[in-house]
Amino acid sequence: MNYPGKEHDCDSVVTVDGLTFSYGSSQVLHDISFALGRGEVVGLLGPNGAGKSTTIKVLTGILPPGGGSVWVAGYSMPIEAVEAKKRIGYVPEAAALFESLTGQEFLELMGRLQEVPEDILQARIDLFLKQFDLDKDRMRRLDGYSKGMRQKVLLSAALLHNPDVVMLDEPLSGLDVNTGLMVRDLIAALAAEGKTILYSSHVLDVVERVCDRALIIHEGRLIADGSLESLKSATERGSLEDVFRQLTHADETVSGVSKIIEGLRS
């Protein structure tokens, strides 16, 4: 199958081949295939309900694939999910934290589940809490944390075990501007260290700044896969936002805006 901008052939760290998934009788993902290489930062884009979060949940072993095959860091999902998960760092769009735990206790739990040696774990917890300006709040219970503070804890937990693959679902949600800039720089630095980054977001200008390549899913189908420049060239559009609008038919929202304004004027 040919997608706009598709040009990629890499030493794959993540391979998805013919992935399907259904919730009951409703099929959500239709024959999705792509590969992610070492050191790549790849944006996963699509309208609400397109299947982005479902795709990430399959890749992280939270959901089993309905059909097709998924390999992460050389391990098959879900058959070798335990080994694969040791090599994955995951920041979900919305996570239920153990709110009775303190920030320190939560990170200790996450690190020990990943079998990080205790001396390394404590040093990394100290590092993340200080760099994310949470050091003074480490002994506060998570139910007293703001949304941004919780997001910093989730980002820290995802990286404690130094994973090979990092999957981020709206990672900047709730973060202040300075921390958001730091996370963007951190993503680039992780890629330079050879990590594979899958970055799902609706904030297209940020995706355009941090990603080398984009996958666009629409109605459960992969409709584009390529570098940002190749996608712009294939669609004859000047920005990722314009590419996205064309491929997902989001231009129709312009007429919707006009109707809302007309309704407010009447």
Side-chain angles (χ1 to χ4, degrees), residues 25 74 80 176 266:
S25 60
E80 300 172 294
D176 59 80
S266 61

Side-chain angles (χ1 to χ4, degrees), residues 189-229:
L190 289 169
E193 290 289 309
K195 311 297 185 186
T196 300
I197 316 289
L198 184 62
Y199 185 107
S200 178
S201 179
H202 293 292
V203 187
L204 298 185
D205 57 338
V206 175
V207 172
E208 195 156 9
R209 291 189 187 99
V210 304
C211 295
D212 311 306
R213 176 175 152 225
L215 307 169
I216 301 179
I217 296 178
H218 184 48
E219 296 179 348
R221 292 177 169 83
L222 185 65
I223 61 170
D225 175 1
S227 70
L228 304 190
E229 290 307 313

Side-chain angles (χ1 to χ4, degrees), residues 8-263:
H8 197 71
D9 184 19
C10 62
D11 180 16
S12 301
V13 178
V14 175
T15 303
V16 178
D17 186 14
L19 175 63
T20 63
F21 186 85
S22 299
Y23 288 106
S25 60
S26 176
Q27 188 166 352
V28 178
L29 301 178
H30 304 263
D31 193 26
I32 290 179
S33 300
F34 60 85
L36 309 180
R38 192 173 309 281
E40 275 198 298
V41 184
V42 180
L44 180 62
L45 312 177
N48 286 333
K52 302 184 302 301
S53 292
T54 299
T55 299
I56 290 180
K57 287 177 180 177
V58 173
L59 295 183
T60 54
I62 295 171
L63 296 173
S69 62
V70 175
W71 293 80
V72 178
Y75 296 94
S76 174
M77 288 288 196
I79 298 169
E80 300 172 294
V82 172
E83 288 301 317
K85 288 178 181 181
K86 292 178 181 179
R87 292 152 179 87
I88 297 171
Y90 172 46
V91 178
E93 182 176 9
L97 301 177
F98 298 105
E99 297 197 341
S100 62
L101 298 181
T102 66
Q104 173 81 26
E105 289 169 339
F106 180 79
L107 292 177
E108 287 177 343
L109 174 62
M110 295 298 103
R112 288 166 186 163
L113 287 172
Q114 288 287 1
E115 300 179 340
V116 180
E118 193 66 22
D119 57 337
I120 295 175
L121 173 61
Q122 294 301 333
R124 288 179 181 171
I125 289 174
D126 286 345
L127 174 65
F128 281 113
L129 291 178
K130 287 174 182 175
Q131 296 307 312
F132 280 131
D133 196 27
L134 292 174
D135 194 32
K136 64 184 181 300
D137 298 297
R138 67 168 65 210
M139 294 305 177
R140 286 179 60 189
R141 284 173 35 142
L142 291 173
D143 60 5
Y145 277 32
S146 68
K147 179 175 175 57
M149 293 166 71
R150 290 168 180 241
Q151 195 70 3
K152 292 176 184 179
V153 169
L154 287 171
L155 284 161
S156 301
L159 298 175
L160 277 175
H161 58 298
N162 194 23
D164 297 323
V165 180
V166 182
M167 300 192 189
L168 307 170
D169 198 350
E170 298 291 357
L172 304 186
S173 177
L175 296 181
D176 59 80
V177 173
N178 286 336
T179 305
L181 292 172
M182 176 184 170
V183 171
R184 281 170 41 189
D185 290 344
L186 178 59
I187 289 169
L190 289 169
E193 290 289 309
K195 311 297 185 186
T196 300
I197 316 289
L198 184 62
Y199 185 107
S200 178
S201 179
H202 293 292
V203 187
L204 298 185
D205 57 338
V206 175
V207 172
E208 195 156 9
R209 291 189 187 99
V210 304
C211 295
D212 311 306
R213 176 175 152 225
L215 307 169
I216 301 179
I217 296 178
H218 184 48
E219 296 179 348
R221 292 177 169 83
L222 185 65
I223 61 170
D225 175 1
S227 70
L228 304 190
E229 290 307 313
S230 69
L231 292 176
K232 292 175 190 177
S233 176
T235 57
E236 299 182 341
R237 296 296 178 110
S239 70
L240 181 59
E241 181 177 321
D242 290 338
V243 171
F244 183 85
R245 282 178 174 273
Q246 176 176 314
L247 294 179
T248 63
H249 312 295
D251 288 329
E252 298 169 5
T253 60
V254 175
S255 63
V257 169
S258 300
K259 291 177 182 177
I260 290 172
I261 296 302
E262 287 176 13

